Each structure stands twice: as C-alpha cells, then as structure tokens.
C-alpha cells in the first residue's frame, strides 16, 4: 500500500519551512496547510477566510513518489505570497502577486530558492509522466468525452439538407475576391464546438483556419450569417482588428447589408440556437 502524506504531515513541513526560512517575517493570520484537489497545472494556492490563512497544495503531491522538495518548494512559494500580504491579512507589498519575479526574489533573499530550482527540474523531467500515470482514469474519461462529442457532431453534420464544409469552402473564394484578395488567407471549417464555445466563429492562427460554429450548418441559419462570419475574418486580415476599419472594409467589399442582417440575426436568435439546437446538449 502506498503511504500517502497527510494534512498533518503537510502542516509540520510548513512549520519547519517557516522556522528555517521565514522566522523573522511578520506574522498575520494563522496558517492551515491542506492537500487540495488533484491538478495538472496548479501546484498551490493561498487564500484567507475569516482570519485564517489557507494554503492548498496539489493533492497529487501527497503521493510519496513526489520528492519532498517539490512539496517544500510549493509551500515556500505560498509563504512568500504570505509575507507579501496575500492571504495573511498583512499589508500588500506588491500590486501583483508574481509580476517582476517578486516571489523568486523573496525566496532567494531567504535562502530557499534552491528548493524551487530543484522542484522545477523534477517537474520538467517527471511531472507529465507522473500526472498521466496518476490521472489515467481522468485522462481516459476526458478522451471518452471528446470521442462522444465528436460522434454527436458527426451525426449532426450528417443531417440531410445541412451545409457541408465543401459548401463553406466554395463561398470563401468569391468572398476573398470581393476584398481584392487573390488567394484566401485561411481555410474555413466547422467548429465542433463545446458548450463553452459560444462564439459564432473563431480564427485559429496556427492552423490558419477560421472555424464557424457547427450550428451554422443548419439551413435555418440565414446564409448572410455565414457570409458575414467569413467576411469578418477576411476584413480582419486586411484591415486589422479595429471595428471601424473592419466595417469600412466590409462596406468597400459591398457587404454592408449582409453584415446588418447577420448582426441582427445574431442578437435575435443566436443564444436561443445555442440553448435549443446544440448536439452536445443532453437535456
Ligand atoms: Zn504564486
């Protein structure tokens, strides 16, 4: 059986670190250290509640395979926040908790930055594999979720009469020409949107692709909406992100009416479409 570290162990580590590196620091709220949820990117946090400071450490750090100095580095990092007035009730010393390397500076001054340096090295070499191993269940679940979402979208796009990606692609060329572009600066494709992605379209610069929300495949959405979304990104490419300049570029391309109709549809019907037609909605 694996012997996991306990909150009592964590509290004792905190006391030791305080005595070793923070002895001369001003004390504010009493500190409680706890292991929190398992997380991929967040190692620790500090907050205050009703006169008590709570330091939470990534629940995965309770595992004995995570070196003690990784836990120590996290605790020392949070203690540096504490002395800077975060979670401690003490006077705030910096407007921003991290900016300007103030945490590293504090740790260096107190002689405990080496903990962070060792921890950083371990995290760089081991963290990804450790996380994957520990959270296999979670990763499998999210893979499964993605697969199910993909299936639902596939079924949705296969609805008879729905617009295809080829349909989108065919509109791109003439629209680009309307902006005086000889070749389209991006591809267009559907966005198999999650429930959180509520935008009508998104530009993905790395893949040079504009993705229109999958709900726009439904022929009940006026064509003007699709033209406008593609035209918006063409104008954006041509004129920059300032709204006035985008509108001017649209006007020059003869798309003012299209824009009007699309914008009015969006304000009237988009949030309802998201609520009632989204293939990932189960209720
Ligand atoms: Zn921090």
């Amino acid at each position: 059986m694996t012997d996991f570290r306990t909150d009592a162990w964590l509290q004792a580590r905190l006391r030791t670190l305080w005595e070793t590196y923070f002895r001369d620091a001003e004390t504010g709220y009493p500190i409680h250290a706890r292991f929190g949820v398992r997380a991929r990117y967040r190692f620790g946090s500090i907050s205050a509640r009703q006169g008590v400071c709570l330091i939470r450490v990534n629940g995965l750090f309770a595992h004995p395979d995570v070196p003690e100095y990784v836990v120590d580095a996290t605790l020392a990092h949070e203690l540096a926040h504490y002395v800077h007035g975060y979670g401690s009730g003490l006077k705030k010393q910096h407007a921003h908790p991290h900016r300007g390397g103030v945490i590293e500076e504090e740790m260096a001054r107190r002689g405990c930055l080496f903990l962070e340096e060792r921890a950083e090295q371990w995290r760089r070499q081991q963290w990804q594999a450790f996380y994957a191993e520990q959270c296999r269940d979670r990763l499998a679940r999210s893979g499964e979720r993605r697969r199910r979402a993909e299936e639902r979208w596939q079924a949705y796009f296969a609805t008879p009469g729905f617009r295809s990606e080829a349909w989108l692609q065919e509109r791109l060329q003439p629209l680009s020409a309307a902006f005086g572009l000889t070749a389209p600066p991006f591809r267009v494709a559907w966005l198999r949107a999650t429930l959180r992605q509520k935008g009508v379209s998104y530009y993905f610069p790395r893949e040079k692709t504009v993705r229109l929300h999958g709900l726009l495949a439904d022929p009940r959405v006026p064509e003007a909406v699709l033209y406008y979304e593609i035209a918006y990104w063409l104008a954006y490419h041509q004129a920059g992100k300032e709204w006035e300049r985008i509108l001017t570029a649209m006007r020059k391309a003869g798309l003012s009416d299209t824009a009007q109709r699309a914008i009015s549809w969006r304000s009237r019907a988009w949030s309802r479409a998201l609520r009632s037609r989204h293939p990932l909605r189960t209720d």
Side-chain angles (χ1 to χ4, degrees):
M1 250 236 24
T2 315
D3 247 342
F4 284 92
R5 295 166 180 143
T6 62
D7 286 344
W9 178 90
L10 193 65
Q11 188 72 28
R13 280 317 298 165
L14 182 82
R15 189 109 328 270
T16 303
L17 287 164
W18 181 275
E19 292 303 325
T20 313
Y21 304 109
F22 290 82
R23 257 192 120 97
D24 64 330
E26 203 184 332
T27 30
Y29 300 151
I31 311 172
H32 291 198
R34 298 275 179 276
F35 283 111
V37 295
R38 306 185 299 171
R40 185 170 205 160
Y41 301 110
R42 198 154 205 222
F43 304 130
S45 71
I46 186 164
S47 60
R49 208 160 158 200
Q50 296 169 341
V52 173
C53 168
L54 180 62
I55 291 179
R56 282 197 186 79
V57 172
N58 193 335
L60 290 170
F61 291 2
H63 197 290
D65 286 357
V66 176
E68 213 165 273
Y69 57 79
V70 172
V71 183
D72 287 354
T74 305
L75 288 171
H77 177 106
E78 301 309 331
L79 285 176
H81 281 312
Y82 180 94
V83 303
H84 289 172
Y86 288 89
S88 56
L90 300 168
K91 192 169 164 297
K92 276 216 170 63
Q93 293 181 21
H94 306 280
H96 189 277
H98 295 114
R99 206 164 286 162
V102 291
I103 295 296
E104 288 73 14
E105 205 175 288
E106 185 70 43
M107 289 175 77
R109 206 165 60 73
R110 295 182 172 279
C112 57
L113 188 61
F114 75 96
L115 290 170
E116 173 54 26
E117 288 162 353
R118 290 184 71 193
E120 167 59 21
Q121 195 179 353
W122 182 84
R123 291 191 307 247
R124 205 171 45 235
Q125 290 167 355
Q126 311 286 339
W127 181 245
Q128 242 175 337
F130 179 81
Y131 180 85
E133 170 68 24
Q134 295 302 313
C135 295
R136 217 181 309 154
D137 51 338
R138 176 186 291 187
L139 291 171
R141 270 200 308 277
S142 75
E144 175 62 20
R145 248 196 322 272
R146 259 200 308 278
R147 216 176 41 71
R148 266 203 311 270
E150 179 60 29
E151 268 171 22
R152 296 238 189 129
W153 273 113
Q154 289 301 2
Y156 179 88
F157 290 128
T159 311
F162 273 28
R163 299 172 180 123
S164 64
E165 271 185 356
W167 186 96
L168 284 179
Q169 223 42 261
E170 281 161 28
R171 268 73 194 168
L172 179 58
Q173 183 64 48
L175 275 169
S176 302
F179 283 89
L181 300 161
T182 45
F186 48 72
R187 286 189 328 117
V188 280
W190 296 126
L191 178 73
R192 289 145 171 82
T194 66
L195 290 169
R196 282 200 202 129
Q197 291 171 308
K198 295 180 195 293
V200 186
S201 66
Y202 296 84
Y203 177 57
F204 295 88
R206 246 180 306 171
E207 37 170 340
K208 280 201 174 23
T209 302
V210 165
R211 291 187 179 274
L212 272 57
H213 198 293
L215 289 177
L216 271 52
D218 188 328
R220 282 176 289 182
V221 178
E223 285 191 7
V225 175
L226 292 91
Y227 288 132
Y228 169 74
E229 292 302 323
I230 299 172
Y232 172 86
W233 291 110
L234 288 168
Y236 177 98
H237 267 80
Q238 201 176 41
K241 60 182 158 199
E242 236 176 275
W243 180 235
E244 281 308 315
R245 302 183 58 165
I246 287 183
L247 277 183
T248 308
M250 290 250 191
R251 197 165 47 242
K252 278 197 211 146
L255 291 160
S256 293
D257 283 357
T258 305
Q260 288 276 297
R261 267 180 290 150
I263 291 166
S264 120
W265 179 86
R266 191 173 58 189
S267 63
R268 227 176 38 243
W270 180 236
S271 58
R272 190 160 14 103
L274 284 172
R275 269 198 317 276
S276 61
R277 297 184 196 164
H278 203 297
L280 302 189
R281 256 195 206 298
T282 43
D283 44 58

